[in-house]
Amino acid sequence: MGDLVIISRERIPTAMNRISCATALAVAVVAVSGPAARADAPMSLFSAFSDKARSILNLNYALLAVCVIVIAVIGVLIGTGLARPRLRFQGGGAGVWPVSRPPGGLRWIYFGLALTALTLLGSLVWSMAVIAHVAAPRTTPALTIDVTGHQWWWEARYAATIQSRQFTTANEIHIPVGLPVHLRLKSADVIHSFWVPALSGKTDLIPGQVNETWIEAGEPGAYRGQCAEYCGLQHAHMAFSVIADPPGAFNAWWDAQLRPSPPPTDGPAVVGQQAFVRRCGACHAVLGTMAGGIYGPDLTHLARRTSLAAGTLPNTPGHLAAWIADPQGPKPGNKMPPLALSGPELVSIQAYLATLQ
Amino acid sequence: MVTVADYSRVPEVTPADYGSPLAERLETLWETKPGLIGWFGTVDHKEIGLRYLVTSFAFLILGGIEAAVMRLQLSWHDQTVLTPTQYNELFSMHGVTMIFLYAMPVLSGFSNYLWPLILGSRDMALPRLNAFSYWLYLFSGLFLYAGFIIGAGPNDGWFNYVPYASKPYNPGLNQDFYALGFILFGLSQTVGGINFMVTALRTRAPGMSINRFPMMIWGTLTASAGNLLAIPSVSLAFFMLWTDRQLGTHFYNAPEGGQPLLWQHLFWMFGHPWVYAIVLPAMSMVSDALPVFCRRPLVAQTAVALATVVTMIIGFGVWVHHMFATGLPNLSMSFFNAASLIIVVPSAISVFAWIATIRTGRFVLCTASLFFASFIFLFVIGGVSGFLTAAIPVDWQVTDTYFVVGHIHYVLIGINLFAVMGGIYFWFPKMTGHMLNERLGRWNFWLMFAGFNLGFFPMHIAGLLGMPRRIYTFPDGVGWNIVNLITTLGAYLFAIGFVVLLANVLLSRKHGAVAGPNPWDAAGLEWSVPSPPPPYNFVVIPTVSSRHPLWEDRLRETEGHSSIHEGAVLDADKETLGVSTMDAIPDVILKMPHDSVMPFVLALCITGVFVGLLLLSLVAIGTSLVLGLVAALVWLWPRAELGQRTEAVP
């Protein structure tokens, strides 16, 4: 019942070859298009804007190249192996087919292992070198920021030796361009992970301990970051920005952060401030008012920020109103309760928040 | 009054075939009685093996449906197919289902069915324990899904990091279902692992010495030993989580001096060996089956066997590579970087052995061999992406992104599922007596292969574009739309390919071409018995004198001859031979237990204890414990007819 058909050598590349070519191509395309595509791929690992990220990226490129080469070579070896003169199965039975032990198999293993071991050694040495290079900045950071992860937003406290120079903000972390910044990472609840791909890899924020890392931006700009450790319902909406300012602008920003916003003068905003303190002040703080809550983000200079709710919505009047009216809509499960504000309350609170420059 | 003398007996050695009166006698002794009692009481390893396979495939389908729904949610930015609560339970249940309820049990299914057949024995060493292990597995799966169905399924991923899994952040029953369900599942795996180890070391054909083990024995034996060492760590971790949640202990509770990272260490000390436990038996299936389609023995089988064991040993020393971002000191982490690279070496041995086997042999093209060959290719993709993440600085960037999601799917689908698919096409004829349809098989293979690569390769790209994992949605403008759409399309293509398998199995089970005992002209002992095998497996116990009993006449590499159709007659009761560990010299006739419903009852009672713990009901716990004790007593009550002190002379 067995039948034996020997098929002649095939020249057509097998599907596996094609897949491995596609693999190489795909990685190449991403690698090439990456750096240029920062605006539409703000989290891409291929756009490094710090020495730290660049040194990791170089290693990443090398290892990706190794991966692509290995996949391609193995794909070709398997593909051409299948295309050698072969047998086709057409029903079978015991003892009908040839069996033999052709020599030469071990050579593959010796050769393969030697290459593998060299590659692994190279990778290890390079890895260790990068770790040593990025472990600490070349100059001691002058600035320390305490970053605390909350479900689901980021608190940033700027530490300064003079207590009156300290302040707290949220979700948008400004740093001076070209200077290393020391970060102390803490968590108020569960584990989060601090990650700004363009500047640095991840470091977890773990309750009960303080993790330390540092970042530095080589060019001015806003760099998107996002929580990278699963932290519950709204892990998906826990983004932030690191904004690198030229040193002068950075110092001006710091000074502005230390000052409360000017008190509102026009009618709705004045009413709104009272409503805000009454309805929102238990959780949120605004410098210079009775609102001193610590459970939600500090809103002292809310109107200067570009986004709301940890990168969930752009900071426009429409989105702000929608957010206050129904915080559970765009970010279901977040800790801000529905406030059931009346229409006039909503309008006045929004008018007040718009004054928090 | 029974004396030792009543058992003293030298078994007769005669030729016999499967139509002889001896075979009829054995059939009566070994067959499972019809009816419900028989169904719940069977201890036949083939029946239990098939149950493992069917159950694990049922879970695979459930996990697949969960994935299909998630892929709709993630097909484009800001989709609202699922709420975050639903998504989090789905992705957690998907992971738990695939990694625990599918990946290991499906391999246990193959091993349960095949081990006694490839070892030349009549059953697993501990048949009732075997049934017990299966029932515990089934009940643990039902326990976990009971939580899921009432909306209290695990919601913190399969990795279940604290403190999100702790009561203040997760007050529902979700984590209690997971903690207790997992401990129950761990019991089943522990019991099963013990059974595999005793079987490999004790119940084999004479001459099946340790150097003649087929690779599948090495794979499952290694995985079982690994599980016995790894599972206690995570069972303890889950138990401490449960006491933190319900009894107010503070193992993981940072404000009271507990340590959240303790969970991660305990979990990954288990988790990484587990990943090897769910791929090594699959790799070993390929090591046994692929050479059949290359018409030659596996290249460097000894090295591949050693590589299997070494992988598991090193596998216990790499767990911290899951924790490179947790702020551990760079120096300590460097050792784990090195260990994670060293573990590539044994894998490379296997890969080059398979490639050398293909290239120096004569390849037989069919669905099974296509799955095995593509398995090597996917293994390498899953392997090199692991090599990339072993480098600590690169891992700081790619960890917890879709790059790792792509990696884990190439490992679990590429190395586990593709090997299993090939294994089904290869061993289905043995299990049913019918061949799977080859034309449908090709559709099956190409749809799954194309769908898998189309769907899961772009996950690596998504990761390199910075997409974090475990997010229920993503915004527009971050460049993740297209890759996710492609992934969704590929995943659905892959699912269609899988449906073709189900159709093929249903069609061919009764109507496929008749297989005969050895349709592939393969080398192992399992191909010397009829398809499907009779309940007693071997009419006489064979004697083995080489690694390839059915090929040795053609390979002409050993002096002796395996004796397949002539051997010890064991028909006084349910009997098989016990042999010495290293050299497989027979030293005892083992009396095998008859069917019993007690394993089922005991498993039910233990599950009752866990339901009691879940509900914090002392009545339920107490009742289940007492009933379970009674069941154990009935199960283990000493019986004279099981006395077994007989020296056997081959």
Side-chain angles (χ1 to χ4, degrees):
Chain A
M1 66 196 252
D3 195 1
L4 188 69
V5 180
I6 296 182
I7 298 170
S8 61
R9 187 175 293 271
E10 279 188 8
R11 294 280 170 209
I12 309 158
T14 64
M16 294 204 191
N17 283 332
R18 271 175 252 145
I19 295 287
S20 56
C21 294
T23 307
L25 200 66
V27 173
V29 165
V30 172
V32 170
S33 62
R38 195 182 138 221
D40 50 359
M43 298 284 286
S44 168
L45 304 191
F46 294 111
S47 29
F49 285 84
S50 72
D51 177 56
K52 191 179 181 183
R54 205 168 296 114
S55 136
I56 296 176
L57 180 58
N58 289 338
L59 174 61
N60 200 350
Y61 274 133
L63 297 186
L64 278 175
V66 170
C67 292
V68 171
I69 292 167
V70 170
I71 293 170
V73 168
I74 299 283
V76 168
L77 287 178
I78 299 172
T80 55
L82 301 197
R84 294 169 71 244
R86 65 187 180 203
L87 311 169
R88 171 167 283 169
F89 178 75
Q90 295 193 338
V96 298
W97 286 348
V99 172
S100 63
R101 190 193 285 272
L106 276 178
R107 281 202 309 261
W108 287 92
I109 295 183
Y110 296 143
F111 190 66
L113 269 192
L115 268 183
T116 306
L118 283 177
T119 314
L120 295 179
L121 195 64
S123 152
L124 183 62
V125 171
W126 195 339
S127 279
M128 295 303 123
V130 174
I131 292 175
H133 183 70
V134 304
R138 273 154 301 174
T139 54
T140 311
L143 170 61
T144 296
I145 306 175
D146 289 315
V147 177
T148 306
H150 295 259
Q151 280 179 322
W152 291 275
W153 58 281
W154 303 84
E155 175 188 333
R157 173 128 194 109
Y158 284 66
T161 39
I162 307 163
Q163 209 150 25
S164 62
R165 295 284 297 167
Q166 295 180 357
F167 68 92
T168 301
T169 180
N171 298 332
E172 287 176 14
I173 300 170
H174 286 249
I175 61 170
V177 169
L179 293 173
V181 176
H182 175 216
L183 300 180
R184 287 195 297 236
L185 304 174
K186 306 167 192 176
S187 168
D189 36 52
V190 303
I191 299 179
H192 306 278
S193 195
F194 182 92
W195 184 37
V196 191
L199 305 182
S200 170
K202 304 175 188 73
T203 309
D204 291 350
L205 301 81
I206 301 172
Q209 70 186 61
V210 181
N211 276 346
E212 305 194 42
T213 188
W214 64 278
I215 52 173
E216 182 183 332
E219 291 173 33
Y223 304 96
R224 184 185 156 95
Q226 190 162 350
C227 175
E229 185 59 83
Y230 176 67
C231 56
L233 286 180
Q234 282 301 333
H235 170 51
H237 288 131
M238 192 171 160
F240 62 101
S241 299
V242 170
I243 296 154
D245 300 323
F250 175 75
N251 289 333
W253 175 81
W254 188 315
D255 291 338
Q257 291 292 312
L258 295 171
R259 288 189 297 272
S261 296
T265 47
D266 65 326
V270 173
V271 177
Q273 183 179 33
Q274 290 157 0
F276 177 85
V277 170
R278 201 171 60 244
R279 301 299 305 270
C280 317
C283 294
H284 293 283
V286 170
L287 208 59
T289 71
M290 292 293 285
I294 55 167
Y295 297 105
D298 184 295
L299 300 179
T300 304
H301 298 283
L302 175 69
R304 286 176 168 230
R305 295 189 198 144
T306 56
S307 69
L308 298 171
T312 308
L313 302 167
N315 190 4
T316 62
H319 283 114
L320 182 59
W323 174 258
I324 304 167
D326 178 20
Q328 296 297 320
K331 199 168 172 178
N334 88 81
K335 306 284 183 188
M336 181 161 160
L339 295 166
L341 297 173
S342 66
E345 267 183 321
L346 177 63
V347 171
S348 60
I349 288 178
Q350 194 199 347
Y352 168 63
L353 292 176
T355 68
L356 295 177
Q357 287 293 330
Chain B
M1 183 64 194
V2 185
T3 66
V4 170
D6 293 334
Y7 296 112
S8 288
R9 169 170 129 249
V10 175
E12 193 189 347
V13 175
T14 60
D17 61 40
Y18 290 86
S20 62
L22 172 63
E24 278 172 37
R25 224 167 28 247
L26 288 169
E27 180 90 27
T28 326
L29 273 173
W30 284 83
E31 74 186 347
T32 292
K33 305 293 172 285
L36 268 186
I37 300 284
W39 198 85
F40 284 107
T42 185
V43 296
D44 183 343
H45 71 95
K46 298 180 287 297
E47 181 59 33
I48 294 169
L50 288 175
R51 286 180 188 180
Y52 264 109
L53 288 174
V54 170
T55 311
S56 59
F57 262 74
F59 283 122
L60 175 69
I61 292 167
L62 284 175
I65 293 170
E66 287 151 16
V69 180
M70 285 192 290
R71 281 320 312 173
L72 286 181
Q73 167 72 14
L74 291 180
S75 57
W76 204 250
H77 69 89
D78 295 315
Q79 294 302 293
T80 51
V81 179
L82 295 167
T83 65
T85 312
Q86 290 167 337
Y87 182 87
N88 292 350
E89 284 194 31
L90 272 181
F91 92 74
S92 304
M93 208 60 204
H94 171 73
V96 170
T97 303
M98 295 307 201
I99 293 171
F100 296 130
L101 301 178
Y102 157 74
M104 190 74 220
V106 75
L107 302 177
S108 300
F110 276 105
S111 295
N112 251 309
Y113 192 97
L114 293 167
W115 265 39
L117 294 168
I118 58 185
L119 285 171
S121 172
R122 284 196 174 141
D123 204 333
M124 298 288 285
L126 308 164
R128 288 186 179 179
L129 206 61
N130 206 18
F132 180 57
S133 164
Y134 169 76
W135 292 119
L136 279 179
Y137 154 56
L138 177 67
F139 295 152
S140 69
L142 295 178
F143 187 93
L144 286 163
Y145 265 90
F148 182 67
I149 287 165
I150 65 165
N155 60 1
D156 189 14
W158 75 287
F159 52 93
N160 209 48
Y161 280 4
V162 294
Y164 184 59
S166 304
K167 198 149 197 176
Y169 306 102
N170 220 320
L173 278 179
N174 311 55
Q175 292 307 319
D176 301 304
F177 267 109
Y178 190 20
L180 296 170
F182 185 89
I183 297 172
L184 194 56
F185 176 79
L187 282 179
S188 104
Q189 296 305 303
T190 305
V191 168
I194 290 169
N195 198 12
F196 281 123
M197 293 188 72
V198 179
T199 302
L201 302 179
R202 196 70 176 127
T203 58
R204 318 185 310 246
M208 179 62 86
S209 51
I210 212 159
N211 59 325
R212 290 178 187 149
F213 274 5
M215 286 305 300
M216 205 168 155
I217 306 297
W218 283 116
T220 307
L221 181 61
T222 306
S224 301
N227 280 346
L228 287 189
L229 295 171
I231 288 174
S233 165
V234 76
S235 293
L236 176 72
F238 271 112
F239 183 69
M240 293 182 342
L241 174 62
W242 183 78
T243 63
D244 265 15
R245 291 176 56 82
Q246 300 303 342
L247 306 181
T249 55
H250 298 297
F251 293 109
Y252 308 122
N253 186 7
E256 298 294 335
Q259 176 50 278
L261 274 189
L262 174 63
W263 169 271
Q264 297 191 20
H265 283 292
L266 290 174
F267 185 84
W268 291 118
M269 276 179 200
F270 151 82
H272 209 87
W274 178 263
V275 171
Y276 287 108
I278 60 183
V279 298
L280 288 174
M283 289 160 63
S284 301
M285 279 164 54
V286 176
S287 291
D288 274 344
L290 177 71
V292 171
F293 297 105
C294 299
R295 309 311 303 161
R296 58 154 300 151
L298 178 66
V299 169
Q301 175 162 346
T302 308
V304 178
L306 287 172
T308 305
V309 177
V310 166
T311 302
M312 183 49 93
I313 294 171
I314 305 176
F316 275 89
V318 298
W319 81 89
V320 167
H321 73 207
H322 297 270
M323 301 168 61
F324 282 159
T326 55
L328 294 171
N330 285 339
L331 181 64
S332 352
M333 291 198 295
S334 308
F335 292 105
F336 290 89
N337 183 342
S340 308
L341 292 175
I342 291 171
I343 206 165
V344 176
V345 172
S347 297
I349 293 179
S350 301
V351 167
F352 285 105
W354 294 322
I355 289 175
T357 305
I358 288 180
R359 296 193 63 97
T360 60
R362 303 178 74 182
F363 192 75
V364 181
L365 193 74
C366 61
T367 307
S369 63
L370 279 173
F371 271 112
F372 293 136
S374 61
F375 152 93
I376 308 171
F377 181 68
L378 303 177
F379 183 112
V380 169
I381 300 182
V384 292
S385 57
F387 152 80
L388 186 126
T389 54
I392 294 171
V394 177
D395 189 68
W396 285 332
Q397 287 285 21
V398 296
T399 188
D400 282 320
T401 69
Y402 262 74
F403 190 88
V404 180
V405 179
H407 165 69
I408 195 175
H409 283 90
Y410 268 82
V411 170
L412 289 175
I413 295 180
I415 312 183
N416 181 300
L417 184 61
F418 270 70
V420 163
M421 293 295 298
I424 288 173
Y425 276 86
F426 186 60
W427 279 295
F428 184 86
K430 180 50 61 189
M431 296 171 178
T432 63
H434 296 278
M435 309 292 288
L436 279 169
N437 183 293
E438 186 63 17
R439 181 179 291 269
L440 275 177
R442 296 300 175 91
W443 277 100
N444 183 187
F445 169 76
W446 286 111
L447 281 171
M448 280 183 75
F449 185 74
F452 175 65
N453 286 294
L454 181 70
F456 292 79
F457 193 81
M459 286 184 169
H460 297 103
I461 314 276
L464 294 173
L465 291 174
M467 179 171 168
R469 65 195 297 199
R470 299 158 189 154
I471 52 174
Y472 78 96
T473 189
F474 53 89
D476 198 8
V478 284
W480 304 334
N481 278 330
I482 303 287
V483 279
N484 276 292
L485 185 63
I486 296 174
T487 289
T488 300
L489 294 175
Y492 274 83
L493 192 63
F494 180 65
I496 292 170
F498 186 78
V499 171
V500 175
L501 170 80
L502 299 181
N504 201 350
V505 166
L506 289 178
L507 278 176
S508 306
R509 200 163 63 94
K510 292 278 162 57
H511 308 293
V514 174
N518 191 0
W520 314 111
D521 187 12
L525 276 184
E526 77 268 34
W527 302 103
S528 71
V529 302
S531 306
Y536 51 89
N537 293 356
F538 295 92
V539 64
V540 289
I541 305 295
T543 304
V544 175
S545 66
S546 74
R547 276 183 184 170
H548 310 285
L550 304 189
W551 280 3
E552 63 193 17
D553 292 342
R554 282 172 281 174
L555 288 173
R556 288 194 289 273
E557 291 174 344
T558 45
E559 303 223 328
H561 282 281
S562 300
S563 169
I564 307 289
H565 301 294
E566 183 175 342
V569 175
L570 298 175
D571 62 343
D573 198 347
K574 290 179 83 170
E575 294 173 329
T576 194
L577 279 182
V579 297
S580 66
T581 301
M582 299 300 283
D583 299 323
I585 297 163
D587 58 8
V588 68
I589 297 175
L590 294 167
K591 303 277 180 175
M592 305 304 279
H594 286 265
D595 291 355
S596 164
V597 293
M598 284 310 131
F600 171 77
V601 175
L602 181 58
L604 205 57
C605 293
I606 291 181
T607 310
V609 173
F610 279 81
V611 172
L613 289 170
L614 179 79
L615 304 173
L616 298 173
S617 154
L618 286 176
V619 178
I621 298 171
T623 318
S624 306
L625 274 178
V626 171
L627 289 176
L629 198 65
V630 173
L633 277 176
V634 175
W635 174 353
L636 297 170
W637 198 258
R639 269 156 304 178
E641 72 267 22
L642 290 180
Q644 38 192 270
R645 296 271 71 85
T646 305
E647 294 297 314
V649 178

